[in-house]
């Protein structure tokens, strides 16, 4: 079959890489892709948000299955558009994507279906939010309602920090219209873990646990990024806790979607925190995580294609159950100096050929581009250097040996990825 992957980051490189190993897949297109994806798929210069152009393209090429990487095309309604035109797509419809697109919506949904989450209030009026803060207890968390590239969450230690957060989000509009409403919620303490479920809206399959490292600096300090590295499995999610998550999160979630008549054929990503009172949901995302996908797909022994295809067809139970390697996988993100703030682009990346033959490793590309024959940096997160081995310690050692061979001016990476499990 012909497949089109939407997006151009490390997650999409991992999707394309895994799909390219499928005997079912004869041709892969990627919109827009990147310099690494180009060796496995035909990259087409259409942006992921240009959903009408993507539809025209897949009609012209008679693509059988489109797989959406990032959230923006989903919240813009790419799945609804494709379904109207009889095109198979892996990704939820617009109403389903609101679980990520609106934090207020996600919190209300969790309340309605009894999914454990932090206590919260929603405000669309700054004066009322300020009044609430006067009688609140601290620390607490202030969140812009809409999409803000993972930056719309402010942890406030006291009243004055919370006041400033509300002012920035609701009055100064630092996240534009994403800050028209806010959620103010209880601060939770615990270790975080990402759990994914592939679903056709009726049944679902959960994938192995992953832990992401969101903060820019070692020791999980500094501003949040899209993710600086990940590893799987995450031992914090014991078998017992995984069962609780299945029972208390994914079961009510899927049955709630069904009750509300929401067509959800894609992947749902629970960002969880393991508190003293058990697992609670911090957020839902409506796509694979990045870098989480870069450690999940190397661990998948079986074919990814039937899972995505049958979920998109509404027939997930027809797909063989996925089989996983026992190996632990780790991904270290090499980023441009300055990320998640301002950074330079166009730096030549050296050493990629020296690591391309190593067993059980894969360098996934995120922000990379061709400049003539050279591969240069073209984004904040540049590469996802991934390795897998029976022991996590060996996988980590191997990934870091690769980061020493690869180089570009201003390359920055955290040296403590997976520290909580070592
Ligand atoms: P979110 O985008 O809602 O997942 O928030 C981003 C990050 O902020 C999370 O990964 C947590 O590290 C932190 N965070 C969000 N909500 C809370 C909360 N209620 N308590 C503690 N930390 C939180
Ligand atoms: N790594 C977190 C995310 O993809 O949202």
């Amino acid at each position: 079959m012909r497949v089109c992957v939407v997006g151009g980051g490390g997650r999409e490189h991992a999707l394309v890489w895994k799909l390219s190993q499928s005997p079912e897949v004869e041709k892969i297109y990627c919109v827009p892709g990147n310099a690494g994806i180009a060796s496995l798929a035909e990259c087409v210069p259409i942006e992921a948000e240009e959903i009408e152009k993507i539809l025209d393209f897949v009609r012209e090429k008679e693509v059988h299955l489109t797989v959406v990487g990032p959230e923006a095309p989903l919240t813009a309604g790419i799945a609804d558009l494709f379904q109207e035109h009889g095109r198979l797509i892996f990704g939820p419809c617009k109403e389903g994507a609101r679980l990520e697109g609106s934090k207020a919506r996600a919190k209300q949904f969790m309340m309605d279906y009894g999914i454990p989450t932090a206590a919260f209030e929603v405000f669309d009026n700054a004066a009322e939010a300020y009044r609430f803060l006067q009688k609140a207890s601290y620390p607490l968390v202030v969140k812009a309602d809409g999409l803000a590239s993972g930056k719309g969450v402010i942890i406030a230690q006291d009243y004055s920090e919370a006041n400033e957060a509300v002012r920035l989000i609701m009055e100064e509009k630092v996240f534009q219209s994403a800050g028209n409403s806010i959620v103010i919620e209880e601060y939770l303490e615990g270790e975080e873990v990402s759990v994914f479920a592939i679903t056709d809206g009726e049944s679902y399959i959960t994938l192995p646990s992953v832990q992401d490292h969101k903060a820019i600096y070692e020791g999980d300090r500094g501003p949040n990024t899209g993710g600086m590295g990940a590893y799987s499995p995450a031992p914090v999610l014991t078998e017992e806790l995984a069962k609780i998550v299945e029972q208390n999160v994914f079961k009510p979630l899927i049955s709630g979607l069904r009750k509300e008549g929401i067509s959800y054929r894609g992947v749902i990503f629970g960002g969880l925190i393991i508190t003293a009172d058990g697992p609670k949901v911090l957020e839902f995302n409506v796509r694979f995580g990045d870098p989480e996908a870069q450690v999940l797909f190397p661990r998948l022994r079986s074919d990814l294609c039937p899972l995505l295809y049958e979920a998109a067809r509404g027939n997930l139970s027809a797909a063989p159950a996925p089989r996983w390697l026992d190996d632990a996988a780790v991904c270290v993100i090499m980023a441009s100096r300055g990320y998640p703030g301002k950074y330079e682009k166009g730096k030549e990346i050296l050493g990629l050929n020296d690591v391309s033959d190593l067993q059980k490793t894969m360098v996934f590309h995120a922000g990379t581009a061709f400049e003539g024959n050279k591969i240069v940096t073209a984004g904040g997160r540049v590469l996802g250097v991934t390795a897998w081995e029976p022991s996590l310690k060996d996988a980590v050692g191997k990934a870091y040996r690769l980061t020493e061979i690869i180089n570009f001016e201003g390359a920055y990476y955290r040296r403590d990825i997976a520290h909580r499990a070592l």
Side-chain angles (χ1 to χ4, degrees):
M1 87 176 76
R2 287 181 289 282
V3 180
C4 178
V5 173
V6 178
R11 162 183 51 212
E12 288 75 24
H13 193 185
L15 277 165
V16 166
W17 173 75
K18 189 63 195 169
L19 286 169
S20 73
Q21 297 164 10
S22 170
E24 310 279 336
V25 174
E26 118 207 12
K27 168 92 187 173
I28 308 179
Y29 298 99
C30 190
V31 290
N34 62 37
I37 293 174
S39 63
L40 300 167
E42 183 176 332
C43 294
V44 183
I46 302 175
E47 292 306 317
E49 295 78 23
E50 296 179 305
I51 64 177
E52 302 271 354
K53 281 194 190 165
I54 300 172
L55 176 66
D56 290 344
F57 175 78
V58 306
R59 291 170 95 181
E60 182 199 321
K61 298 292 181 188
E62 296 181 11
V63 166
H64 300 99
L65 171 68
T66 299
V67 178
V68 184
E71 60 279 15
L74 294 167
T75 53
I78 191 172
D80 311 67
L81 182 69
F82 271 50
Q83 279 162 18
E84 271 164 41
H85 291 84
R87 290 279 153 191
L88 206 55
I89 187 159
F90 180 84
C93 65
K94 198 170 177 169
E95 190 51 37
R98 284 188 69 218
L99 282 182
E100 175 165 359
S102 165
K103 289 191 187 288
R105 161 74 176 143
K107 295 295 285 194
Q108 191 56 51
F109 187 94
M110 288 188 255
M111 281 283 280
D112 291 347
Y113 297 100
I115 297 171
T117 188
F120 71 102
E121 297 280 339
V122 178
F123 299 91
D124 54 16
N125 171 308
E128 279 173 27
Y130 292 132
R131 223 171 298 135
F132 173 83
L133 293 179
Q134 287 173 353
K135 53 180 172 45
S137 45
Y138 292 87
L140 53 67
V141 187
V142 181
K143 300 183 174 188
D145 175 54
L147 294 180
S149 312
K151 294 173 193 157
V153 173
I154 299 173
I155 294 170
Q157 296 301 335
D158 54 34
Y159 172 76
S160 82
E161 284 182 20
N163 221 53
E164 177 64 3
V166 171
R167 196 184 64 74
L168 286 173
I169 298 175
M170 295 194 91
E171 301 200 60
E172 274 194 37
K173 291 272 190 264
V174 290
F175 307 115
Q176 291 90 33
S177 63
N180 288 351
S181 318
I182 56 169
V183 171
I184 300 183
E185 70 178 32
E186 171 198 6
Y187 175 80
L188 298 176
E189 245 168 302
E191 207 174 313
E192 291 179 48
V193 62
S194 306
V195 182
F196 299 83
I198 291 178
T199 179
D200 60 2
E202 296 286 328
S203 60
Y204 66 91
I205 295 172
T206 48
L207 313 186
S209 59
V210 187
Q211 189 169 68
D212 178 24
H213 294 68
K214 289 201 171 80
I216 185 74
Y217 302 129
E218 279 138 29
D220 300 313
R221 287 174 303 108
N224 268 354
T225 69
M228 291 304 293
Y231 64 99
S232 173
V236 64
L237 195 77
T238 59
E239 234 168 86
E240 194 189 341
L241 285 172
K243 280 194 196 127
I244 294 175
V245 167
E246 187 108 16
Q247 199 60 34
N248 294 356
V249 177
F250 287 101
K251 269 206 181 145
L253 168 69
I254 303 295
S255 96
L257 289 169
R258 215 167 35 216
K259 271 192 204 132
E260 301 203 4
I262 295 171
S263 158
Y264 202 111
R265 297 175 173 186
V267 60
I268 183 117
F269 162 174
L272 309 174
I273 186 160
I274 310 299
T275 72
D277 295 334
K280 297 194 179 181
V281 177
L282 289 178
E283 64 169 345
F284 284 121
N285 297 310
V286 298
R287 50 174 175 80
F288 286 110
D290 192 353
E292 285 93 330
Q294 300 180 55
V295 290
L296 275 175
F297 297 139
R299 296 190 62 217
L300 179 58
R301 281 166 61 196
S302 50
D303 194 349
L304 176 63
C305 184
L307 282 175
L308 306 185
Y309 178 73
E310 297 297 353
R313 288 199 328 139
N315 196 22
L316 183 60
S317 53
R323 287 175 294 115
W324 300 93
L325 286 179
D326 289 332
D327 285 8
V330 64
C331 170
V332 178
I333 298 293
M334 297 184 76
S336 300
R337 180 171 48 220
Y339 173 77
K342 283 205 185 105
Y343 53 83
E344 288 178 28
K345 297 183 188 175
K347 309 293 182 193
E348 184 175 5
I349 305 173
L350 301 169
L352 289 171
N353 288 335
D354 302 327
V355 300
S356 57
D357 289 336
L358 295 176
Q359 291 290 306
K360 293 197 184 186
T361 64
M362 181 66 201
V363 178
F364 293 113
H365 289 223
T368 69
F370 283 109
E371 208 174 81
N373 289 331
K374 290 192 256 175
I375 295 183
V376 300
T377 64
R381 292 191 292 178
V382 176
L383 300 169
V385 178
T386 303
W388 53 104
E389 283 294 339
S391 101
L392 178 65
K393 190 163 174 273
D394 291 346
V396 168
K398 197 157 73 167
Y400 279 112
R401 280 199 293 283
L402 265 63
T403 60
E404 281 162 24
I405 299 169
I406 300 167
N407 198 22
F408 54 88
E409 192 190 315
Y412 168 77
Y413 54 92
R414 275 180 59 167
R415 288 165 200 270
D416 66 345
I417 299 304
H419 68 92
R420 288 177 199 277
L422 290 175

